[in-house]
């Protein structure tokens, strides 16, 4: 159990690191941000900031020496970076979760191995293999790069086999996985936290709405169809957490299918669809992640008031902040990013126990 005044190292300098740092400070901890970027919205609220490359071993060693435990705020930190740090300081969650989450094909095979059911899929490591994948999965389908890509990036849709060339070019001709389309009623998340002692707690599952591949909103209460599949999805995520010896917040995204939940993807970190927990739950995902990696007792995950609506402020949406602040029921979070551009998450707003005015 880390005593107050200890330092928690965070790999990555974005808004998730920013909110983790705020939660850590409330529990008496300092944070140290390590990221290659010169500008870091997480570093703005942290005690220390190291700007260095992911493969700069002397700087990584110094970062480890200055940290009592290390965690990460996004899943694209190089595995070799985490493996190196693990030789110097405890890293929670560990490298196993990153190895699975960074490779979409490995992730799907892993989920199948623990009893999960993803959408139909087939590997497409090259253009010739894509034709074979189309024969196996059919169309319509979506082609996704095996590595990297988020918020709709690294993806292309195929309405018919004739779209194969265009889709392959659209993803930069990188190794990929082809996923078949599935009929689904809703998209939802399972957010859990697992402590050092193996205890697992869950937040209520929100229903998620996306636009252009980017999460637009998460809300509670979820429709009855989501509630009916929540337990099965939770059980799968618990199996995943156990198999990975996971510590911290773990998120799984699911579709409501006709025969049960369909696994979409996992994120070994705090997640955008859990931002509502800051105001809408007894203990937020950020505080519980800090509690878990610090070895503290986990906090209550109960929802405090319904309804709850979280909306992302994307691109030009950030201009609405003054009017949102005029709504006494709205909780506004501005991430402090200077550049406004299409598709960039610049903040979010949550209503807990109240509906948005519009």
């Amino acid at each position: 159990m880390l005593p107050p005044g200890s330092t928690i190292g965070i790999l990555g300098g974005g808004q998730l690191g920013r909110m983790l740092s705020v939660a850590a400070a409330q529990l008496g901890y300092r944070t140290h941000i390590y990221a290659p970027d010169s500008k870091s919205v997480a570093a703005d609220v942290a005690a220390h900031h190291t700007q260095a490359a992911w493969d700069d071993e002397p700087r990584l060693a110094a970062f480890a020496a200055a940290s009592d435990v290390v965690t990460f705020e996004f899943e694209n930190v190089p595995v070799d970076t985490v493996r190196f740090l693990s030789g110097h300081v405890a890293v929670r969650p560990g490298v196993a979760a990153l190895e699975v989450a960074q490779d979409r094909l490995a992730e799907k095979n892993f989920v199948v191995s623990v009893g999960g059911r993803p959408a139909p899929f087939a590997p497409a490591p090259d253009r010739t293999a894509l034709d074979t994948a189309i024969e196996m999965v059919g169309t319509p389908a979506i082609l996704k790069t095996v590595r990297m890509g988020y918020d709709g990036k690294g993806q292309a849709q195929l309405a018919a086999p004739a779209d194969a060339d265009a889709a392959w070019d659209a993803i930069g001709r990188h190794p990929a996985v082809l996923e078949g389309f599935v009929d689904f009623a809703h998209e939802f998340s399972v957010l859990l936290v697992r402590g050092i002692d193996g205890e697992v707690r869950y937040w209520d599952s929100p229903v998620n709405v996306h636009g252009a591949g980017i999460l637009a909103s998460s809300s509670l209460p979820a429709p009855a169809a989501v509630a009916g599949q929540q337990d099965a999805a939770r059980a799968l995520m618990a199996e995943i957490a156990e198999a990975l010896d996971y510590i911290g917040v773990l998120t799984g995204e699911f579709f409501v299918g006709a025969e049960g939940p369909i696994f979409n993807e996992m994120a070994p970190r705090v997640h955008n669809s859990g931002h509502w927990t800051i105001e809408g739950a007894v203990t937020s995902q950020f505080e519980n992640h800090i509690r878990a990696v610090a070895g503290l007792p986990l906090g209550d995950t109960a929802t405090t008031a319904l309804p709850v609506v979280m909306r992302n402020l994307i691109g030009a949406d950030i201009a609405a902040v003054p009017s949102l602040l005029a709504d006494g029921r709205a909780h506004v979070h501005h991430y402090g990013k200077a550049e406004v551009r299409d598709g960039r998450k610049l903040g979010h707003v949550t209503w807990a126990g109240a509906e948005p005015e519009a």
Side-chain angles (χ1 to χ4, degrees):
M1 185 180 299
L2 289 185
S6 298
T7 296
I8 298 174
I10 299 175
L11 299 171
Q15 64 263 22
L16 299 181
R18 181 186 182 96
M19 288 181 273
L20 283 170
S21 292
V22 171
Q26 291 173 333
L27 294 175
Y29 297 116
R30 299 179 177 90
T31 55
H32 185 160
I33 303 300
Y34 187 106
D37 310 303
S38 59
K39 296 180 180 178
S40 166
V41 297
D44 288 344
V45 297
H48 307 286
H49 176 210
T50 295
Q51 180 197 349
W54 294 124
D55 60 355
D56 188 334
E57 292 190 355
R59 301 294 294 279
L60 286 169
F63 169 72
S67 303
D68 297 290
V69 67
V70 168
T71 190
F72 43 85
E73 62 120 36
F74 78 127
E75 62 268 46
N76 288 324
V77 175
V79 168
D80 286 345
T81 298
V82 175
R83 188 172 286 117
F84 175 85
L85 287 170
S86 297
H88 296 76
V89 66
V91 181
R92 299 170 182 154
V95 71
L98 280 186
E99 288 179 316
V100 171
Q102 286 184 1
D103 185 311
R104 285 193 171 97
L105 185 58
E107 179 183 83
K108 293 178 186 300
N109 286 324
F110 171 74
V111 166
V112 170
S113 76
V114 295
R117 185 167 63 97
F121 68 96
D126 52 45
R127 175 62 187 83
T128 300
L130 176 56
D131 290 332
T132 302
I134 291 172
E135 292 176 4
M136 295 174 61
V137 172
T139 55
I142 185 165
L143 187 66
K144 298 181 179 180
T145 54
V146 168
R147 292 187 173 274
M148 305 298 285
Y150 58 93
D151 288 345
K153 301 177 179 68
Q155 303 181 11
Q157 293 188 13
L158 293 82
D163 297 331
D165 284 337
W168 186 248
D169 289 341
I171 66 163
R173 305 182 181 184
H174 294 295
V177 58
L178 186 71
E179 297 179 10
F181 274 21
V182 295
D183 290 327
F184 64 91
H186 304 283
E187 298 177 48
F188 69 99
S189 298
V190 169
L191 298 116
L192 67 78
V193 60
R194 185 173 184 269
I196 289 177
D197 61 356
E199 180 188 4
V200 175
R201 296 190 179 191
Y202 307 90
W203 287 269
D204 289 332
S205 287
V207 63
N208 300 324
V209 176
H210 289 76
I214 303 174
L215 182 68
S217 68
S218 297
S219 58
L220 291 164
V226 171
Q229 296 191 3
Q230 178 177 262
D231 286 350
R234 283 180 171 181
L236 174 61
M237 293 307 298
E239 289 287 343
I240 291 172
E242 178 71 22
L244 296 174
D245 193 21
Y246 195 91
I247 298 172
V249 171
L250 175 67
T251 308
E253 295 183 337
F254 291 85
F255 301 121
V256 173
E259 298 178 0
I262 300 169
F263 175 88
N264 182 27
E265 61 185 21
M266 59 175 266
R269 54 172 171 80
V270 289
H271 194 262
N272 194 174
S273 65
H275 289 358
W276 66 270
T277 63
I278 298 173
E279 289 85 23
V282 175
T283 311
S284 77
Q285 64 167 345
F286 300 100
E287 180 179 332
N288 255 341
H289 186 81
I290 296 297
R291 286 181 181 229
V293 302
L296 299 175
L298 300 180
D300 189 347
T301 54
T303 303
T304 55
L306 290 172
V308 181
V309 178
M310 186 284 301
R311 288 181 182 168
N312 276 329
L313 300 175
I314 302 170
D317 293 346
I318 199 69
V321 164
S323 61
L324 290 168
L325 290 172
D327 179 353
R329 305 165 306 162
H331 301 273
V332 177
H333 296 258
H334 194 301
Y335 302 152
K337 298 179 181 179
E339 182 183 356
V340 177
R341 62 174 183 264
D342 292 344
R344 193 181 198 198
K345 295 175 181 175
L346 300 174
H348 73 269
V349 56
T350 302
W351 291 264
E355 294 280 0
E357 291 183 347

